[in-house]
Amino acid sequence: MELAYIPSPSRGVIHLGPVPLRGYAFCIIIGVFVAVWLGNKRWIARGGRAGTVADIAVWAVPFGLIGGRLYHVITDYQLYFSEGRDWVDAFKIWEGGLGIWGAIAFGALGAWIGCRRRGIPLPAYADAVAPGIAFAQAIGRWGNWFNQELYGRPTDLPWALEITSSTDGRVPGTYHPTFLYESLWCIGVALLVIWADRRFKLGHGRAFALYVAAYCAGRFWIEYMRVDDAHHILGLRLNNWTALIVFLLAVTYIVLSARKRPGRETVVEPGAEASGGEADGEVEGGTDADGERTDAEKAEADSTDSSDAEAEKEASDEAESAKKS
């Protein structure tokens, strides 16, 4: 007899009249808002304009949803195209099924389009939104709780997840709450990126690459615990191989980028400085983070001093000429 467990919702949708309100969709929407909110704060701190992150998210979010769904449908095609299945279900995104790998890849494509239209470097934008994406994933994983899906192996631990549904081959019982493990891991990834970014002044996409590498490390062991059907290659689930490969690519990028382009971008959004944006603690014509005058201010002060000296010299020469007369 289990002394304690995490109960699953009796249902994942509430009908407000004819309008269904789905827990999975709410988790995704809340996650997007958190990512945009935090990304906007970080973007302004780096010297960008307020609202730019949201403008580019208009491109990134739809692309990410499409990419996430495509990855899920392609890698789990048997759920939609095998005998007895209805291929129309492949479009029912509200019933769950988003692959983070496809979401990030297509989301990056959408962000690149948005950044290109604004003349903004994609790596700088990616660095700003990286922790927000991790927080969004932490929130989004609770959508799996509403749908009673993607749980782990059977367990009788006090924090076991109770599964009550028997649809789609589920067996009621208590299992490892892998959705919770991944949610907590993503929160840790977000905090890690924020700390490392402040400590080491990460730039040129390295904060985003750190997020990717850290997430993949956690996803590897969490994926290994899951018991839902998946394709296997050499004894490992497909997503385990994906996490391993993407992890190596992210670490390689961090190392090579640090060698070729150390430091952080001075300007992340053209024209933002003129409107009062901050970049790396500097404000054009103001003072830097240590209270020292910036190069622009010093140059202007030197020019002013030089002009004053010339004016004083001319006045002195005129006075001498008047005395001789």
Side-chain angles (χ1 to χ4, degrees):
M1 178 179 179
E2 297 87 4
L3 297 178
Y5 55 82
I6 301 173
S8 290
S10 58
R11 55 181 176 173
V13 58
I14 298 176
H15 287 85
L16 187 61
V19 180
L21 304 178
R22 301 182 182 277
Y24 186 89
F26 269 111
C27 291
I28 298 297
I29 293 171
I30 294 172
V32 169
F33 274 104
V34 170
V36 172
W37 171 78
L38 180 58
N40 183 65
K41 290 177 65 69
R42 287 172 53 82
W43 184 252
I44 294 173
R46 289 201 173 203
R49 290 192 179 98
T52 296
V53 168
D55 291 342
I56 296 176
V58 171
W59 289 91
V61 173
F63 271 75
L65 291 175
I66 294 172
R69 188 60 175 177
L70 280 175
Y71 181 90
H72 167 72
V73 172
I74 292 172
T75 56
D76 290 310
Y77 61 86
Q78 71 280 357
L79 299 178
Y80 307 99
F81 303 105
S82 60
E83 185 178 355
R85 298 284 184 169
D86 187 355
W87 63 271
V88 176
D89 291 341
F91 297 95
K92 297 179 180 179
I93 192 172
W94 55 86
E95 293 184 353
L98 289 175
I100 186 61
W101 318 110
I104 293 297
F106 273 63
L109 175 60
W112 175 79
I113 294 174
C115 287
R116 185 176 178 83
R117 290 166 61 90
R118 300 290 291 266
I120 293 172
L122 177 60
Y125 180 84
D127 284 341
V129 300
I133 293 176
F135 279 126
Q137 287 179 248
I139 297 170
R141 271 305 175 198
W142 284 83
N144 301 133
W145 177 63
F146 281 101
N147 287 354
Q148 296 197 36
E149 60 184 1
L150 306 188
Y151 44 86
R153 301 167 186 168
T155 182
D156 58 357
L157 291 171
W159 57 85
L161 172 67
E162 182 189 35
I163 296 298
T164 58
S165 173
S166 58
T167 59
D168 293 331
R170 297 184 181 93
V171 178
T174 55
Y175 300 85
H176 278 285
T178 51
F179 84 91
L180 178 60
Y181 298 160
E182 186 166 339
S183 180
L184 294 175
W185 183 269
C186 286
I187 292 174
V189 170
L191 297 177
L192 170 66
V193 174
I194 292 173
W195 171 81
D197 194 26
R198 291 176 178 174
R199 175 67 177 81
F200 302 106
K201 299 295 183 183
L202 301 177
H204 302 286
R206 289 188 287 277
F208 183 81
L210 176 60
Y211 144 71
V212 172
Y215 171 75
C216 288
R219 179 62 184 267
F220 186 89
W221 67 266
I222 293 171
E223 185 73 24
Y224 194 72
M225 297 179 65
R226 283 168 45 174
V227 294
D228 52 299
D229 292 335
H231 297 288
H232 287 71
I233 300 176
L234 299 179
L236 287 179
R237 294 165 65 96
L238 175 61
N239 282 332
N240 280 117
W241 285 107
T242 304
L244 179 60
I245 294 171
V246 175
F247 171 83
L248 294 175
L249 290 175
V251 172
T252 300
Y253 178 86
I254 293 173
V255 174
L256 296 180
S257 175
R259 291 178 180 176
K260 296 180 65 175
R261 306 186 70 183
R264 181 184 284 179
E265 298 89 343
T266 303
V267 177
V268 296
E269 185 169 3
E273 298 85 356
S275 62
E278 296 182 358
D280 285 344
E282 297 180 0
V283 179
E284 186 173 355
T287 59
D288 60 18
D290 296 323
E292 299 291 336
R293 291 188 302 177
T294 60
D295 293 340
E297 187 182 43
K298 292 176 182 177
E300 183 179 356
D302 292 342
S303 176
T304 301
D305 293 342
S306 178
S307 298
D308 291 342
E310 292 179 1
E312 291 177 1
K313 187 176 183 301
E314 291 179 1
S316 177
D317 292 342
E318 290 177 0
E320 290 294 332
S321 297
K323 289 180 181 180
K324 292 179 181 180
S325 301

